[in-house]
Amino acid sequence: MLYSLNMYRFLIFSVFVSAFNLHAGTVGLWRFDDTGAVAGESMAAAENQASPGVLDAFIGNGEPRYSDDVPFTEVYDPVADETYANAFSFDASGANAFLSTENAINLDRSFTVEFFVKIIGEPASYESIIDRSEAQDLVWKIDFDHAANQAFGRIRTRWDTPANGVSDGVAENGVDENWNFILGAAGNANAPKVYVDTGAKDAAGADLGPQNTGNPVDYVYDTTSANPNDLDVALQGDGQNDIPEWHHVAMSFDETTGEIRFYFDYALAQVRTLSDSAANGYTHPAAGLRFGKLSATEYGLLIDEVRYSDEILTSSNFLREPQVLGAGNTIAHWRMDDEGAAEGIEIVEVSNEVSALYPAVRGNGTPKYSSDVPAPAIYDPISGNTFINNFSLDASEANSRLQITGEESFNTSFSLEFFIKLSEEPGGYHAFIRRSQANDLRWQLDFDHGAKSAFGRLRARFDTPGPEGSDGVNENGVDENINFVVGPTGGANIADAFCLWIDTDSGDGMRANYDDASDWANDGDGLNDNDVWHHAAITFDEDTGALKFYYDYELLQSRILSDANGDGYTHPDAPLTFGKLTNSGYALLFDEVRYSGDVLEAFHFLQPAALPEEGLEISRIVYDPTPPSATITWNTVSGRRYSLDYSNDLENWLEILEEEIANGETMTYTDSERLADSAKLFYRVREAE
């Protein structure tokens, strides 16, 4: 059946079967599950799974081998939306056992590189694991930090770029633009480590004190000691990793801005920008990609799932273990878009989007509706629904808050997420969301006032009682978790992008330009230099005690609550409250507060969305050659009707799908009947008016 085109908005999309790129943006994916792979046997090459035969990785040196020790037996790729069986990894334990690709122009762009790594034995000083290296002053690498102090054992990235973009083969401090430019997990002793090997030794090298604790705080580092083993923590321990676990490592580089982001176990560990005094941009090394044992030392080293993308990916896009998540166990979702909502009207009650239970009612002050929202629509990846978003919660007046009665349903592992906009300056440590039974039994998200360091970040704070239970008094040394904080890390070096509040005299939104000698809160005019909406979330796993803090969809910190008594976590017997939790007036907005009974990941969180304006967009076609089929995905608006047609010549069209009603942000159809006899097909989508 044919329709006149004036009844529909439509888009035509063609599929060329022989040339279709299944993994758009993925330049190389080396998985080490090649045909004929056998554990312990030598590896001749690693096929590039994204484009077999193009940028395959071949032996660069040594004896690369296969191992059946893998991070997961299945790996999920969010970019391709596929799950791969994973049987083998790359054993690079032997001296110089590495693989290398040829140099290629499609490596010379903005990029993201990621991989899994497991270190078993002790690397030597500053061992590289992956690099592109043309010369000493034109190289980037990911390597092992040997620093004698307690930064020892972290993984990091180092960049060296030449003066004026021209290499002379010598890395010279004060001459070259970026000399030993380092990013890695921040915090020295408290930095996440890929290698920990504790065990104090006396001057003769005999063991003494705690051994193999797996805790880097047990390293002994004393520059005044006569014991040589106290001068370099690498001399302690037994040469074996106390915690030989798989880790995920990733790094992205934006060649337009020079920004580098370094991730460790999916957490964004540090952000820095290369200097470019000559303003000539970045010069990519004229070299292939090498990965494995890039030294002549021998120690246990395994690598798996190396991916190089010519796009800037974030943690939501990284390779990971498949997760089975049902409906996400959304307990409550307060959207501020109830019937009768209007700009400036006082909020009496906000309904729970998913249930008649747990409405949010006015707890105090004068909460109001605002038409200032993070986006005109909000997409929920868990339900697949897109919600029109007209109003938010204006909690600017003193004590303006909403409250939900404390319920047993909240006393589980949970994820809490929301959008927040802070336009004017709070006082010290003002809380925005909390459950608080007593000073020693509460959790909250609040504003960090740290005078000249962490000032202006949003953070989560937990306080839990000691073995005797809550006595209402928060006592350091008695209670188990006092002011236990997760949030953006780095103190005064927290990246500007991860501060909820920046207010400098210049108004430029750069923390480096704070200049008050005593308290950065004294700078500025009381208005946020970066007056925008942010998404924030915390997750809590009550089985492990693990807390994770996310800001603008980046995992910024993960910590585990102490539980010396082994009695697990006690949830506060208290309401859940959000909004203005102080008697203070400053501009504060909230939207889309959701409480889930599961530990969610960043890709499950609510996302800003734009409403479609003109036409449609076929966002993706995935071609499967065996048997030939094409899966077509296009954007939709829930409740509207869509049809799908195909053609061999762009003149004669036949209908495949007739006026199906959309129930989410996208619609997908798999055509498995028409590709066997045709090397080229065109598809178009039509939307009924």
Side-chain angles (χ1 to χ4, degrees), residues 213-288:
T213 66
N215 190 340
V217 301
D218 291 325
Y219 284 128
V220 179
Y221 181 65
D222 182 1
T223 57
T224 66
S225 174
N227 181 355
N229 296 298
D230 294 347
L231 305 181
D232 186 346
V233 299
L235 301 177
Q236 299 167 31
D238 60 3
Q240 297 294 308
N241 200 342
D242 292 355
I243 310 175
E245 297 177 346
W246 283 97
H247 297 277
H248 181 272
V249 178
M251 176 185 68
S252 68
F253 172 63
D254 186 330
E255 69 170 353
T256 303
T257 65
E259 183 184 84
I260 304 168
R261 295 191 171 202
F262 187 82
Y263 297 80
F264 184 73
D265 286 342
Y266 303 96
L268 181 57
Q270 195 177 8
V271 180
R272 291 185 68 191
T273 300
L274 290 172
S275 63
D276 184 19
S277 57
N280 59 346
Y282 180 70
T283 302
H284 291 272

Side-chain angles (χ1 to χ4, degrees), residues 643-647 653-657 682-684 686:
S643 298
L644 177 67
D645 304 332
Y646 81 96
S647 172
W653 291 92
L654 295 174
E655 188 174 71
I656 303 173
L657 188 70
F682 298 91
Y683 293 97
R684 74 179 181 189
R686 297 174 285 115

Side-chain angles (χ1 to χ4, degrees), residues 469-501:
S470 173
D471 61 6
V473 181
N474 193 333
E475 298 170 279
N476 197 11
V478 175
D479 294 314
E480 287 190 302
N481 298 281
I482 298 300
N483 195 25
F484 184 97
V485 169
V486 288
T489 60
N493 294 318
I494 293 172
D496 295 343
F498 301 132
C499 271
L500 178 65
W501 173 265

Side-chain angles (χ1 to χ4, degrees), residues 191-502:
K193 306 289 199 305
V194 71
Y195 184 84
V196 178
D197 181 23
T198 60
K201 297 180 182 298
D202 63 20
D207 291 342
L208 63 106
Q211 304 290 313
N212 303 317
T213 66
N215 190 340
V217 301
D218 291 325
Y219 284 128
V220 179
Y221 181 65
D222 182 1
T223 57
T224 66
S225 174
N227 181 355
N229 296 298
D230 294 347
L231 305 181
D232 186 346
V233 299
L235 301 177
Q236 299 167 31
D238 60 3
Q240 297 294 308
N241 200 342
D242 292 355
I243 310 175
E245 297 177 346
W246 283 97
H247 297 277
H248 181 272
V249 178
M251 176 185 68
S252 68
F253 172 63
D254 186 330
E255 69 170 353
T256 303
T257 65
E259 183 184 84
I260 304 168
R261 295 191 171 202
F262 187 82
Y263 297 80
F264 184 73
D265 286 342
Y266 303 96
L268 181 57
Q270 195 177 8
V271 180
R272 291 185 68 191
T273 300
L274 290 172
S275 63
D276 184 19
S277 57
N280 59 346
Y282 180 70
T283 302
H284 291 272
L289 186 69
R290 303 190 305 169
F291 46 88
K293 180 71 61 60
L294 303 180
S295 72
T297 56
E298 295 192 17
Y299 59 87
L301 173 65
L302 302 176
I303 296 175
D304 201 11
E305 305 295 323
V306 180
R307 179 163 70 177
Y308 191 100
S309 305
D310 62 3
E311 297 176 336
I312 298 171
L313 305 182
T314 63
S315 57
S316 295
N317 307 121
F318 295 158
L319 301 166
R320 58 181 179 263
E321 184 178 20
Q323 287 194 320
V324 178
L325 187 75
N329 194 14
T330 302
I331 294 172
H333 183 184
W334 301 285
R335 302 206 48 251
M336 325 303 167
D337 277 277
D338 292 282
E339 185 176 352
E343 172 74 24
I345 298 297
E346 182 176 348
I347 297 176
V348 177
E349 178 177 301
V350 173
S351 62
N352 174 4
E353 183 75 25
V354 298
S355 168
L357 302 173
Y358 320 131
V361 300
R362 185 173 69 87
N364 210 329
T366 311
K368 298 178 180 179
Y369 293 105
S370 170
S371 57
D372 186 342
V373 293
I378 299 295
Y379 172 60
D380 176 7
I382 290 175
S383 68
N385 292 325
T386 299
F387 306 102
I388 304 301
N389 188 34
N390 292 317
F391 298 103
S392 63
L393 161 63
D394 183 349
S396 300
E397 294 189 22
N399 294 310
S400 295
R401 68 191 71 169
L402 296 176
Q403 181 171 296
I404 303 93
T405 303
E407 297 284 348
E408 188 68 25
S409 298
F410 296 149
N411 297 342
T412 63
S413 299
F414 69 87
S415 299
L416 173 74
E417 62 175 308
F418 57 96
F419 293 91
I420 184 171
K421 182 177 181 181
L422 182 64
S423 298
E424 296 176 327
E425 186 166 5
Y429 304 105
H430 280 191
F432 303 124
I433 295 180
R434 71 182 175 206
R435 285 190 79 189
S436 179
Q437 179 180 340
N439 285 339
D440 60 347
L441 184 49
R442 64 181 174 182
W443 61 260
Q444 65 188 37
L445 284 96
D446 61 21
F447 177 84
D448 196 341
H449 188 86
K452 292 174 62 180
S453 58
F455 174 70
R457 67 174 180 166
L458 181 70
R459 64 176 198 172
R461 169 179 174 171
F462 278 62
D463 293 280
T464 68
E468 303 301 320
S470 173
D471 61 6
V473 181
N474 193 333
E475 298 170 279
N476 197 11
V478 175
D479 294 314
E480 287 190 302
N481 298 281
I482 298 300
N483 195 25
F484 184 97
V485 169
V486 288
T489 60
N493 294 318
I494 293 172
D496 295 343
F498 301 132
C499 271
L500 178 65
W501 173 265
I502 300 179

Side-chain angles (χ1 to χ4, degrees), residues 564-579:
N565 209 36
D567 57 353
Y569 180 72
T570 303
H571 291 271
D573 184 11
L576 176 65
T577 307
F578 58 89

